[in-house]
Amino acid sequence: MLRESIELHRQGRLAEAEDGYRSVLATQPNDGEAIRLLGILRRDRGDLAESEQLFARAHALAPEQPNLLLMLGAVRYQGGDYELARDAYERALALDPNLSGAHTTLGHIAMMSGNNTLAEQYFRTALRVKEDAQAYSGLGMLALEREDNDVAMKHLTRAADLSPNDAAIAFSLGRGFSRRGMIAFAEQAFRKALQLRPGLPQAHNALGQLLLTAERAAEAEPHMRALIGVRNFDLPGTLGLGDVHRALGQFDAAIAQYRRALELQPDHEAGFEALLWCLQQLGRTAEVLELLDRRIMQFPAQERWRAERATIHSRLGRHGDASTDWQVLHDRHPTSQQAAAELASARERNGELETAAAIADRAAVHFPQDATLALVRARAAFRHGDDATARKVLATLQSKPTSEHNARHALNYLGLLHDRAGEYDEAVRDFSAAQRGMQTLLPSLESVPAEYDAVLAGPLDAPWQHAPILLLGAPGSGVERIAALLADQPQLAVLRDRAQRPRNDGFDTRSFDHTHSELDSLRVDTLREEYLAPLRAMNVPFERTLVDWIPRWDARHLIFARRFLPGSRIIIVDRDARDSLLDWLAFGWLPGAAMSDLDMSAKWLARARAHLHFGVEHGGLDHLVINAEQVLADPAGAGAELARFVGVDTLVEGKGAATARQALGGMPTCFVDGRWNVYAETLADAFTTVTRDPYAQS
């Protein structure tokens, strides 16, 4: 009966073999061979608990046989009971110290418990008995942990040679290839491990991560999905799926996976960081802040999230909230350079200028090379009229490595110090250096074509219901400060987005024929909708008067306004061309409109002003020309005409205009009208260029 059951077992007819073994044991309950074979069969069928009982019973009947202890140790090891497994292997070695497999498995148990020294001793002892693939694999894994990749590959390659069909060894070999940057070989090894043992979670995880790193997210997806619900791999699988969706731009799906990961492990920082990133890509900032609020309360030891919240508050202009968070971090870590610098910067941006200066002064004792602290201190010294200290701090900053952004600020501040000292040549030198090499993307402004006169002479259509007021001004005119003042008025909807990026309508650089004599209604409606669509996306309140700031203006825009947006009116902010040029040089202009070349900028500014004046002289649109300095000095008085033009009773200066009046740290944002006179000699050539006819022959 036993022989027939053994044959059935060999043929894979496990249910019949099991019936046979149990029949033998029903009549011969102490048949050690039947017990042992039934234990093997139950292990193969996944019943580790009964298998362990059967091997223990077999050992009790034949305690002198070490192989029974090896089997008992193996099933306990497979079931995750490593302490009892170790006991079985140690007792087996007491009977026969030359059991290579026992030494090897004890080495793996020691490695899992973190005792790598003992693990290596076991592996090397096993190899003294005979060449053992698992011992080589263990030595290879130990070498991987200590990042000795060459030694690791030597051992793992030998292990694979000895046991080419071992899935665990193929997986470890893949790890070795991955460590050495041999991605194709690593992928091949991981795939082989999965062929040898389908569903091996370690291999799915490693291969999925490898494919994600190689930007093959779609291929990684099934490997990550295979880990969902698998013990000890549910979390990495969920995070991996989130990473797959994120790489594919499927942010909502990624968010769902990261949320699930945080349900599995609430304190997981990388998952939380990825969740925040996806929410920010979707513009869900309020939700991000809510999550950060809860996170900070739930895990106060994870201080990076308080810093993250402070950074978001700063980006949103909530500098008081940012200051509160940085103050907490600074109080906890008074020796932290980042906390001190960020706190000083946040206090300064919140208008707490003296508090910011005091923080920067104290912190500078410990961090004299920190550029943020140095700039806060320099601005404070400038504000207090302590030019000597300001120069000293800025000179120190210039002698140390710093970012391009900070270096440009330092040069500009030195220029302002030279200006205040009457050192105008030096001021121009530093002003120019501060902008040199910055991006300059200014539209080409050629001579206004003669046919524009004929187009502009035509009759105007009935006013369009959404016709805007167009706010215009050349660099250095102060138009941005007027835009800020108008934005303070609740009756107006002031559009300032073009200063950062084009809106791709008729007022931007996209070219089409503005002078076409015949326009059908479909064409008109299409271009008007093109103008309105981005405003709807910005939730612009159309019940208010629209004021659209057009930073880069040329004459064809005037034709566009007349023909497609009839009823448009124009505000032009203007001043002496030389003052405009000087302010552009000293204080800059818009992103992408740096004065990287003084002579070329003077020529362009002359043409820009000519295009603005063409609109006044030939546009036939209701217009108003104002001086920014005069209006801002007395909004209620000198600004009365502007108020009437935009339809408000009185212009009231709010936070926007106040901010535009002073730059960060109380630094100036412009020179007073007429300041160009003191630069008459230093900038003589540029002033001549900017004041002559820009289209005259040289």
Side-chain angles (χ1 to χ4, degrees), residues 6 17 47 83 87-88 142 173 239 428 448 471 480 485 521 535 560 608 623 653 656 696:
I6 293 172
D47 189 349
E83 283 303 310
D87 174 72
L142 288 173
L173 187 62
L239 289 168
V428 168
V448 179
L471 178 62
E480 69 282 359
L485 174 65
S521 59
L535 306 191
F560 175 78
H623 64 270
E653 181 179 294

Side-chain angles (χ1 to χ4, degrees), residues 378-379 382-383 412-413 416 661-669:
R379 287 188 286 265
F382 185 96
R383 188 171 64 249
N412 181 260
Y413 296 160
L416 291 172
R661 186 186 299 280
Q662 286 189 333
L664 182 62
M667 298 297 288
T669 57

Side-chain angles (χ1 to χ4, degrees), residues 365-630:
V365 175
H366 305 288
F367 314 115
Q369 297 185 16
D370 187 279
T372 298
L373 294 170
L375 290 174
V376 172
R377 296 174 64 220
R379 287 188 286 265
F382 185 96
R383 188 171 64 249
H384 296 147
D386 187 356
D387 292 5
T389 297
R391 285 176 186 254
K392 181 179 178 181
V393 171
L394 292 171
T396 301
L397 180 60
Q398 283 190 303
S399 67
K400 306 293 183 183
T402 187
S403 69
E404 179 181 320
H405 176 78
N406 289 330
R408 291 188 187 281
H409 272 298
L411 282 165
N412 181 260
Y413 296 160
L414 283 171
L416 291 172
L417 288 167
H418 287 307
D419 171 85
R420 195 148 71 177
E423 300 162 353
Y424 304 119
D425 290 345
E426 292 83 352
V428 168
R429 178 198 65 201
D430 287 340
F431 289 149
S432 298
Q435 295 195 57
R436 188 172 298 123
M438 293 178 69
Q439 188 179 42
T440 302
L441 297 174
L442 295 170
S444 175
L445 295 174
E446 305 302 331
S447 179
V448 179
E451 62 265 25
Y452 281 19
D453 287 334
V455 176
L456 294 171
L460 284 170
D461 290 339
W464 182 46
Q465 61 175 333
H466 297 300
I469 297 174
L470 306 177
L471 178 62
L472 315 177
S477 66
V479 61
E480 69 282 359
R481 291 181 288 140
I482 294 297
L485 174 65
L486 294 177
D488 285 336
Q489 315 310 310
Q491 306 93 326
L492 307 178
V494 180
L495 311 175
R496 296 184 284 179
D497 55 300
R498 298 182 200 268
Q500 298 293 329
R501 55 192 170 275
R503 211 185 292 155
N504 197 31
D505 59 19
F507 291 121
D508 286 320
T509 56
R510 189 175 57 81
S511 177
F512 62 87
D513 186 2
H514 295 70
T515 63
H516 197 286
S517 58
E518 296 181 3
L519 295 170
D520 58 42
S521 59
L522 177 61
R523 178 64 165 159
V524 172
D525 290 344
T526 298
L527 290 171
R528 287 179 178 176
E529 177 56 30
E530 193 174 71
Y531 178 80
L532 291 175
L535 306 191
R536 294 194 189 97
M538 292 187 286
N539 297 315
V540 171
F542 288 104
E543 68 276 9
R544 301 181 189 177
T545 300
L546 292 180
V547 179
D548 197 347
W549 176 21
I550 316 294
R552 299 168 176 87
W553 174 267
D554 68 32
R556 65 192 180 131
H557 296 154
L558 181 65
I559 298 173
F560 175 78
R562 281 179 54 95
R563 304 200 73 181
F564 296 95
L565 314 179
S568 297
R569 296 179 291 150
I570 295 177
I571 299 170
I572 296 179
V573 184
D574 199 17
R575 69 194 300 201
D576 188 290
R578 292 160 293 193
D579 279 323
S580 289
L581 182 69
L582 178 60
D583 264 25
W584 188 9
L585 172 65
F587 300 100
W589 178 229
L590 304 177
M595 184 184 284
S596 56
D597 182 295
L598 178 59
D599 292 335
M600 292 301 297
S601 296
K603 292 176 183 177
W604 185 89
L605 180 57
R607 292 195 295 272
R609 287 169 53 79
H611 277 252
L612 288 170
H613 293 158
F614 179 87
V616 173
E617 297 162 3
H618 302 278
L621 297 180
D622 192 8
H623 64 270
L624 175 68
V625 180
I626 62 171
N627 177 281
E629 183 175 346
Q630 294 170 6

Side-chain angles (χ1 to χ4, degrees), residues 208-209 211-212 216-225 237-251 253-254 257-258:
Q209 294 295 341
L211 294 169
L212 275 170
R216 294 158 61 187
E219 295 177 61
E221 191 271 342
H223 296 288
M224 294 308 183
R225 194 169 295 282
T238 303
L239 289 168
L241 269 182
D243 292 343
V244 165
H245 290 306
R246 179 171 60 163
L248 295 174
Q250 301 163 352
F251 297 126
Q257 293 299 328
Y258 293 135

Side-chain angles (χ1 to χ4, degrees), residues 167-168 170-172 174-175 186-211 220 223-224 226-227 233:
F171 166 72
S172 297
R175 287 184 60 206
E187 180 181 348
Q188 183 180 17
F190 291 143
R191 292 191 185 280
K192 181 178 180 181
L194 287 170
Q195 290 172 355
L196 294 169
R197 192 188 302 174
L200 181 65
Q202 293 91 335
H204 275 304
N205 188 34
L207 181 55
Q209 294 295 341
L210 189 78
L211 294 169
H223 296 288
M224 294 308 183
L227 301 175
F233 286 91

